[in-house]
């Protein structure tokens, strides 16, 4: 049984299947993958770091520190990035810890100011007992970017990403 939640209110919105909504299942693995999506849109690098296993391999980076740095670098290059997850998060058949999700990624092109969109399908592999993210990889490569008709999705709330120095590392936060 699937329950549909709107990310803005976290209330049932079964009749409102917008691209800004998440399709949750009862599996703790699917819920953790959906949480990753919400944190990605909030640019909450600290919370995303907490989700990563020490041995995580994501987006070509190996080890938690490298993965987190990669997440921050991507956001620095695309400060108003927003992901829509139109089909939600579903376990792969036979492997409840591998969660598939399709997304449409929107961002503002820094040189032209045009909102662009690209689509892909990824799978997140979670640790069976801790639900920490072990890996994230592509199932379907990202499409070529095209201008997004109408800009960001109607129910999106893209925020500006700002890197802020904090001690030896950088603490990253969204700027509303």
């Amino acid at each position: 049984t699937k329950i549909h939640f709107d990310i803005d209110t976290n209330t049932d919105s079964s009749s409102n299947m917008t691209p800004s909504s998440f399709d949750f299942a009862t599996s703790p693995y699917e819920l953790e993958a959906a949480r990753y999506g919400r944190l990605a849109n909030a640019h909450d690098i600290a919370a995303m770091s907490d989700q990563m296993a020490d041995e995580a391999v994501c987006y070509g980076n190996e080890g938690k520190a490298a993965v987190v740095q990669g997440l921050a670098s991507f956001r620095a290059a695309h400060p108003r990035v927003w992901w829509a997850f139109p089909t939600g998060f579903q376990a792969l058949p036979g492997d409840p810890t591998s969660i598939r999700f399709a997304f449409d990624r929107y961002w503002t092109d820094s040189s032209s100011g045009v909102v662009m969109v690209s689509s892909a399908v990824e799978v997140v592999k979670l640790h069976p007992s801790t639900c920490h993210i072990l890996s994230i990889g592509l199932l379907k490569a990202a499409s070529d970017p095209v201008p997004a008709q109408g800009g960001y999705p109607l129910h999106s709330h893209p925020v500006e990403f700002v890197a802020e120095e904090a001690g030896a590392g950088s603490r990253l936060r969204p700027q509303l």
Side-chain angles (χ1 to χ4, degrees):
T1 303
K2 300 243 181 205
I3 301 170
H4 198 78
F5 289 92
D6 182 78
I7 63 168
D8 300 327
T9 62
N10 203 30
T11 58
D12 186 324
S13 60
S14 308
S15 60
N16 184 12
M17 301 292 281
T18 67
S20 69
S21 299
F22 290 86
D23 193 4
F24 290 137
T26 57
S27 157
Y29 307 113
E30 290 169 323
L31 291 171
E32 191 64 15
R35 181 173 172 260
Y36 173 80
R38 287 192 310 274
L39 294 172
N41 278 338
H43 303 307
D44 192 338
I45 301 296
M48 293 168 73
S49 175
D50 291 343
Q51 286 188 293
M52 297 295 159
D54 289 338
E55 67 275 17
V57 178
C58 305
Y59 310 116
N61 299 298
E62 294 186 31
K64 184 176 184 171
V67 169
V68 171
Q69 182 56 50
L71 294 171
S73 295
F74 181 83
R75 281 158 182 77
H78 302 90
R80 290 188 52 85
V81 66
W82 178 267
W83 288 267
F85 303 93
T87 59
F89 299 81
Q90 305 93 30
L92 295 179
D95 185 359
T97 65
S98 292
I99 310 303
R100 175 196 181 279
F101 59 98
F103 63 82
D104 300 317
R105 178 177 49 224
Y106 296 82
W107 70 96
T108 303
D109 181 74
S110 60
S111 61
S112 69
V114 172
V115 176
M116 304 297 287
V117 64
S118 178
S119 301
V121 180
E122 293 182 343
V123 63
V124 58
K125 176 72 174 175
L126 297 144
H127 190 280
S129 61
T130 66
C131 283
H132 282 111
I133 295 174
L134 296 171
S135 65
I136 302 175
L138 286 170
L139 287 179
K140 179 182 172 196
S143 63
D144 289 335
V146 296
Q149 297 299 318
Y152 287 94
L154 179 63
H155 298 287
S156 67
H157 302 285
V159 294
E160 193 74 22
F161 177 77
V162 176
E164 186 177 87
E165 291 301 319
S170 63
R171 174 97 176 141
L172 307 162
R173 62 175 175 82
Q175 178 179 325
L176 299 176

